[in-house]
Amino acid sequence: MRHGRSRTGEWLLLAAALGLVLALLAAPEAPEPAEAATPVPVPAAGPVDVQVDRAATRLAAWMRPLAPGERPPQFVLFSFDGAGSHRHWQRVLALAGASEARITAFLSGVYLVPDGERRRYRPPGRAAGTSAVGFGGSDAEVDVLIGDLMEARRRGHEIGTHYNGHFCAGDEPSVGRWSTAMWDAELDQFFAFVEAARARGLDLGAVRGGRTPCLEGRWAQAYPAMRAHGFTYDTSRPTDGIVWPTEEHGIREFWMPSVRVPALRKQVLLMDYNLWMAVNGGRDEPERAAEFSDTVLGAYRAAYTAATSGNRAPLVIGSHFNRWSGGGFFDAVERFMAEVCLRPETVCATHSDVNAWIDLQDPEVLDVWRTMPPAHVPRP
Ligand SMILES: [Zn+2]
């Protein structure tokens, strides 16, 4: 369940022994096989710095209070968990640039720790050096990751946390049972790994939020630890429909929407892993990758239409750096990014971008929108 890297023999053994955490909600990351199932139409690309400026300008045009009665922009928040695959970083950086998109990547802190130093990680309630998603590989691989993260930062993307060892229900003690003290210990270590990587050239700036492994957690326990570590938001919790972020214990929650997927005629959480489970029960069927890509793209389009024509709530698209089942799921994310981010009144932004935009708003003006019913994809 390495987020997008393949060197995971030990993880696979561990997963098999655990009877597979895969049955669970979101999350797991699988080894990445080879090629893209379908070519992704990449918008015309210009020089990187021009793209970065365009994305910033697109956002800046909306960084002001809305006038009473004015429609909010349709924010789309592309977000990637794990963030440890060089190949995926290259694809996402190129596509986001061409699409004038700013994205959020949630880094698993253990990827900053070379395999040989794994015992530096002491997971809450278990032996040092344990992780469900492996570690950072060789020193050279950690350096490549740091290069990717720094390039992402330079381009205006945001790096948040996906925490460290990725322990989901069934792999106990899983994050869903952690106390505030355990969340504190986990976050202390995430920041220690980031700090130690400074010597190798990493500078993440302020880390303002994250997504929990498998979207699990006891929130009354987790939020105080997030706050204590300077977080302003979380984006882990599933909800029915597309809704505006809400605030609790000083943390703004960017909810993960669950919407009706037209091709499947059922409601699914808009997270790549859950979509895979819904499409074919999580089987590896690379020959059907193009079909899966169309199904998932259809889900994203329907969700976007529901939000834009409804409450205009920011749309969170959760994904991993993966090539599951021939890559159809990641292709769908790429196709959606390529087609949606350049639309009028649409801004593909980071979580902290949208957080800052919300803070600028007159609460009464925004309430007109955020008290509207959740956006749902209608039945035909
Ligand atoms: Zn994950």
Side-chain angles (χ1 to χ4, degrees), residues 3 27 29 81 162 166 214 320:
H3 295 249
E29 298 73 46
D81 296 357
H162 197 36
H166 210 290
C214 304
H320 291 84

Side-chain angles (χ1 to χ4, degrees), residues 104-122:
T104 309
F106 296 113
L107 172 69
S108 294
V110 285
Y111 295 168
L112 296 173
V113 178
D115 286 357
E117 300 173 28
R118 58 193 306 153
R119 293 184 63 80
R120 279 168 52 203
Y121 177 43
R122 302 175 154 277

